Amino acid sequence: EHHEVPISLYTNGLLPPDAPSAAEVASTLHEAGVTAATIALNAADPDSYARRMLSPPPYTPAYHEDGPSAIGDVSGASFGGACEFISALSEAGVETTVTAVATADTASVRDL
């Protein structure tokens, strides 16, 4: 017996530097059965995004040897890229939700 189980994706929206375009990735995910996606944008502008999502933390997170290893390779990653992926998911037919942490600089995320 086959059960239709919804498949959801939870991501920060950052694609690897060698990944296909955001539209291709979104389309592939939708074709594979992903029905919903939640993206942690966590910023409302490129500068805040770079500080929060693309910069190593000033401490050593659990299970990592140092701050830089916790974020991995973020070359080519950007606020614009994450926003492009959000749009691509929605346009591909994936129910898309954006989340953000509550800080003074994320209050305007809703305006995006």
Side-chain angles (χ1 to χ4, degrees):
E1 183 177 335
H2 178 67
H3 298 281
E4 290 296 321
V5 177
I7 300 172
S8 295
L9 170 71
Y10 294 86
T11 178
N12 60 15
L14 298 177
L15 298 176
D18 58 347
S21 72
E24 288 180 74
V25 172
S27 179
T28 300
L29 289 168
H30 185 255
E31 290 169 6
V34 173
T35 57
T38 300
I39 299 88
L41 190 57
N42 293 335
D45 61 78
D47 290 337
S48 297
Y49 188 83
R51 280 192 310 274
R52 182 163 292 112
M53 301 296 289
L54 305 177
S55 301
Y59 58 90
T60 300
Y63 310 109
H64 295 279
E65 63 184 56
D66 55 24
S69 69
I71 64 166
D73 180 7
V74 293
S75 59
S78 68
F79 178 75
C83 290
E84 180 182 2
F85 188 51
I86 290 165
S87 294
L89 286 165
S90 182
E91 290 169 7
V94 176
E95 182 181 326
T96 305
T97 302
V98 176
T99 62
V101 293
T103 65
D105 62 347
T106 57
S108 57
V109 165
R110 195 169 276 291
D111 296 335
L112 297 173

